[in-house]
Amino acid sequence: MTDDTKDNKDTKDTSQSRRKFLGGATTGLVATGLATSTLAATGLNQQDLHREINWDSEVDILVVGGGAAGCSAAITANALGNQVMIIEKAPVLGGTAAKSVGGIWVPNNKFMREAGLEDKREDCLKYMIRLSFPTSYNPEIKYFGAEEGAYRQMERYYDNVNRVIEDLEQQDALQLMALKAGEHFMPDYFAHLPENKAPAGRALVPSQADGSMGNGAEMMRRFGEALREKRIPVKTRHRAKQLIQDEDGRAVGLVAEKRDGTRYKIKANRGVIFTTGGFTHNKQMRLDFLKGPVFGGCAAPTCEGDFVHIGTRAGAQLGNMSNAWWAQLPLEQALENSSVPTGIWCSPGDSMIQVNRNGERFFDEKFVYNERTQAHFAWDPVSASYPDLLSFMIYDQRTADQYAGFAPIPPTGSSATHVMSADTLEALAAVIKKKLLDIAAETAGFSLQEDFTTQLNKTIERFNQFASAGTDKDFSRGKQPIDQFFHFFGPGQPVNSYPNATMHPIASTGPYYAVIMAAGTLDTKGGPKINEHAQVLDTEGQPIPGLYGAGNCIASFSGPAYWAGGATLGPALTFGSIAASHATQNTQTVGLG
């Protein structure tokens, strides 16, 4: 549902219910940060300080952002009897969720219970904290070593995620199934750690009408249908520009900007909920905040950090700004467009390795994308450089054929500009060197070491020995449960007679292929801090009344961790709903109509 030019007929006309702005008003209003420079951003001017605001629309709850968190917030708010509106910067609903696999991490879900799997609250919290607070985790102390605010959000998440999912299913806005490979539940990303007492079964995905597995696009399709059926207005091509607060600091409305530059002022009687995504596609913010060099990400192009700017002007405290949901990307795709089609969840293939500029492997290629990506951030203090800024996925014809279509390998019969090939490893190295020269301006002249080819041959010889024996003595490839799941979950399963199904000797003759890989994100996960009610906190740690956040636009309580598949969308859906519930139950009279 979209409406770019006028209000839904069910939205209140507020032209006769206005209040004085500051001078003489019962409750004054301020455009957050009343310096002349910020007034210009809102479409208000100095004269507006002493006269009425002419609201263009009035609702109970305004949701900013039309992705998964925003839809969850809007549908919950509607079910609680609120008049709701969604504004969305993009031309269509969906956000980054529509590009995703659609996984949702749901501890202690009904599919686990039906299978007789126990997922106790305390055990789950310990697992989360072990990863989110790796330097302070202690199962014997208060909050298990977590910061109190994050602990409160984690327990709130565990206590509410199943309720939120069930509510959305009852609203016919969502339908989920367990994510499996064959009969095996998907394991958590760190199922191998002793702290994980329920190592598999928490990941759910959307199901389609025929019972087959869906994805993020299917989830957002159902959300869109639910919004239409419930007559919840969605205004696309409306970008949030400025929060409006009363003299007590309560969020009471928002100024949005349409594509044609005109301003649209929306009054929100009960709350404004931001769900606008992270700042992946704001290059300056990536440079300012992220802990390593990042070339782009999977996030929707509209994820430009809007709430960081709006929230800080409203007095919000920022958190977790250096972390992201990390993912490796094909470098050339990211250089062409920072919003890439997909991240590389698992390096596909068995006769495949990833090497650095020295021609050496430097991680388990089958392990979690979030962890592989951070290996690119290693800093060499002597050369004052990132020696692993780029990596090179090397594979043979077997993998090219049998894993065709599993990104970044192109489908059978097609080609891709990000894939290089040659008949020998020596010739392949020459092709890579030429490519690096072509893009040197984008990588600070990153190049291969002189002995790259010699070392690559040694690396392949060593890898082939490991593949033949079935044990990767360097990085334990295939040993972790998630390695095996990612590998087996691919498109079709080639026959591999070797002991470790994730490893097959690389052919002694060409052709050989290479893809340059670089660090990216699914999206960032830093921004204004919230509490367990999804209220945005100010610099003193106190809630900003009427202002809420959920999803990737806020400081994630996961910290640096990626617990499992769906750890992004699970909290987003849950805290979007929590925000709507709290705004409904904690409304204060603001004297605005």
Side-chain angles (χ1 to χ4, degrees):
M1 168 181 283
T2 63
D3 183 353
D4 299 338
T5 60
K6 62 182 180 179
D7 295 338
N8 182 282
K9 65 182 181 180
D10 293 330
T11 303
K12 294 179 181 178
D13 178 359
T14 64
S15 61
Q16 298 181 9
S17 66
R18 298 171 294 180
R19 289 293 183 271
K20 296 286 184 179
F21 191 149
L22 288 183
T26 302
T27 301
L29 298 180
V30 293
T32 308
L34 282 178
T36 302
S37 60
T38 57
L39 285 171
T42 67
L44 304 175
N45 55 48
Q46 290 286 1
Q47 293 179 340
D48 286 320
L49 298 180
H50 303 290
R51 67 171 185 243
E52 302 166 345
I53 282 188
N54 294 306
W55 299 103
D56 297 298
S57 288
E58 177 182 352
V59 293
D60 295 319
I61 293 178
L62 174 64
V63 177
V64 187
C71 289
S72 176
I75 291 168
T76 300
N78 174 266
L80 293 172
N82 296 285
Q83 286 190 310
V84 189
M85 177 189 292
I86 296 176
I87 63 168
E88 166 58 49
K89 182 166 61 173
V92 296
L93 196 74
T96 303
K99 296 178 64 178
S100 74
V101 174
I104 303 170
W105 197 61
V106 186
N108 197 34
N109 63 67
K110 62 183 178 182
F111 301 102
M112 296 178 73
R113 297 194 298 270
E114 289 169 0
L117 300 178
E118 188 175 44
D119 192 3
K120 294 180 179 179
R121 184 177 192 263
E122 182 174 297
D123 289 339
C124 184
L125 292 173
K126 287 180 179 178
Y127 170 67
M128 296 163 76
I129 293 166
R130 161 67 178 82
L131 296 173
S132 297
F133 292 86
T135 61
S136 60
Y137 171 72
N138 185 336
E140 305 301 325
I141 64 175
K142 191 174 184 180
Y143 309 132
F144 309 130
E147 183 267 332
E148 181 180 359
Y151 180 85
R152 298 298 182 200
Q153 291 176 65
M154 288 180 186
E155 62 179 1
R156 183 84 165 168
Y157 176 52
Y158 180 94
D159 292 342
N160 284 271
V161 60
N162 280 287
R163 174 193 60 78
V164 170
I165 294 303
E166 290 166 7
D167 287 348
L168 290 171
E169 288 185 331
Q170 289 173 5
Q171 293 284 324
D172 201 27
L174 190 65
Q175 189 64 47
L176 299 178
M177 61 188 291
L179 179 53
K180 294 182 176 181
E183 296 302 314
H184 300 285
F185 284 120
M186 182 180 187
D188 290 342
Y189 289 166
F190 292 86
H192 56 285
L193 293 183
E195 289 83 7
N196 195 340
K197 306 301 183 184
R202 292 164 170 157
L204 308 183
V205 287
S207 62
Q208 302 193 87
D210 62 1
S212 62
M213 176 182 163
N215 54 21
E218 170 63 17
M219 178 173 64
M220 295 311 303
R221 184 192 68 78
R222 290 189 71 114
F223 274 143
E225 286 187 354
L227 295 173
R228 285 190 291 272
E229 291 171 0
K230 299 172 189 309
R231 303 187 67 178
I232 299 173
V234 178
K235 290 187 175 295
T236 56
R237 298 183 172 91
H238 281 59
R239 179 175 188 163
K241 294 297 291 186
Q242 192 75 29
L243 190 72
I244 297 179
Q245 296 170 272
D246 67 17
E247 62 187 4
D248 296 321
R250 181 179 181 82
V252 296
L254 185 86
V255 179
E257 183 179 79
K258 301 180 185 180
R259 279 293 172 88
D260 62 6
T262 60
R263 304 301 169 112
Y264 191 80
K265 297 183 287 295
I266 310 160
K267 178 183 170 186
N269 292 321
R270 292 181 170 174
V272 179
I273 304 173
F274 273 83
T275 63
T276 49
F279 56 85
T280 285
H281 300 301
N282 186 319
K283 186 175 182 179
Q284 188 61 52
M285 291 182 71
R286 296 202 312 258
L287 288 170
D288 287 344
F289 296 113
L290 294 183
K291 63 184 178 182
V294 169
F295 289 87
C298 304
T302 50
C303 294
E304 299 172 298
D306 293 354
F307 191 38
V308 173
H309 301 303
I310 293 171
T312 52
R313 285 198 296 267
Q317 178 181 170
L318 299 181
N320 209 39
M321 294 293 287
S322 65
N323 286 307
W325 309 104
W326 307 107
Q328 282 189 302
L329 313 174
L331 174 65
E332 291 174 86
Q333 287 185 351
L335 294 180
E336 185 173 339
N337 186 334
S338 68
S339 183
V340 299
T342 184
I344 308 306
W345 319 120
C346 175
S347 307
D350 47 18
S351 52
M352 169 281 305
I353 55 175
Q354 279 197 50
V355 298
N356 59 18
R357 66 190 299 183
N358 302 320
E360 300 170 332
R361 294 174 66 213
F362 61 112
F363 52 47
D364 170 7
E365 297 91 344
K366 291 294 180 179
F367 199 59
V368 181
Y369 44 95
N370 188 72
E371 317 310 321
R372 294 197 321 268
T373 303
Q374 294 177 79
H376 289 282
F377 302 155
W379 176 256
D380 177 20
V382 175
S383 67
S385 67
Y386 294 99
D388 300 329
L389 178 72
L390 305 178
S391 67
F392 306 90
M393 179 176 152
I394 309 292
Y395 57 100
D396 62 11
Q397 192 63 49
R398 168 191 166 84
T399 284
D401 291 339
Q402 300 199 37
Y403 292 85
F406 193 0
I409 299 173
T412 301
S414 65
S415 60
T417 57
H418 64 268
V419 177
M420 296 166 281
S421 64
D423 289 334
T424 66
L425 291 173
E426 291 76 10
L428 184 64
V431 175
I432 294 172
K433 289 177 182 179
K434 183 179 184 305
K435 179 67 69 173
L436 290 175
L437 282 174
D438 293 341
I439 60 175
E442 306 287 347
T443 65
F446 189 90
S447 62
L448 301 181
Q449 294 288 75
E450 290 185 6
D451 63 346
F452 175 84
T453 303
T454 299
Q455 187 58 52
L456 177 60
N457 276 285
K458 292 180 180 179
T459 297
I460 290 176
E461 180 181 2
R462 182 173 176 83
F463 173 81
N464 286 353
Q465 292 172 355
F466 293 162
S468 296
T471 301
D472 177 5
K473 294 183 179 180
D474 290 337
F475 301 104
S476 300
R477 175 162 147 179
K479 184 177 180 180
Q480 286 64 241
I482 194 61
D483 286 18
Q484 299 173 35
F485 185 90
F486 274 156
H487 186 71
F488 298 146
F489 200 65
Q493 281 308 307
V495 175
N496 184 341
S497 60
Y498 289 87
N500 184 334
T502 71
M503 302 174 70
H504 187 286
I506 295 172
S508 58
T509 59
Y512 300 104
Y513 301 85
V515 176
I516 304 176
M517 307 285 274
T521 75
L522 305 185
D523 199 1
T524 58
K525 54 174 172 174
K529 287 187 176 183
I530 63 169
N531 63 15
E532 68 269 25
H533 306 297
Q535 294 174 287
V536 175
L537 303 178
D538 66 17
T539 55
E540 301 298 322
Q542 298 302 309
I544 298 174
L547 184 59
Y548 298 83
N552 291 337
C553 69
I554 54 92
S556 173
F557 57 87
S558 66
Y562 208 138
W563 310 306
T568 56
L569 288 174
L573 293 170
T574 302
F575 280 89
S577 178
I578 287 172
S581 298
H582 191 273
T584 301
Q585 297 165 8
N586 291 271
T587 302
Q588 298 175 4
T589 301
V590 296
L592 298 176

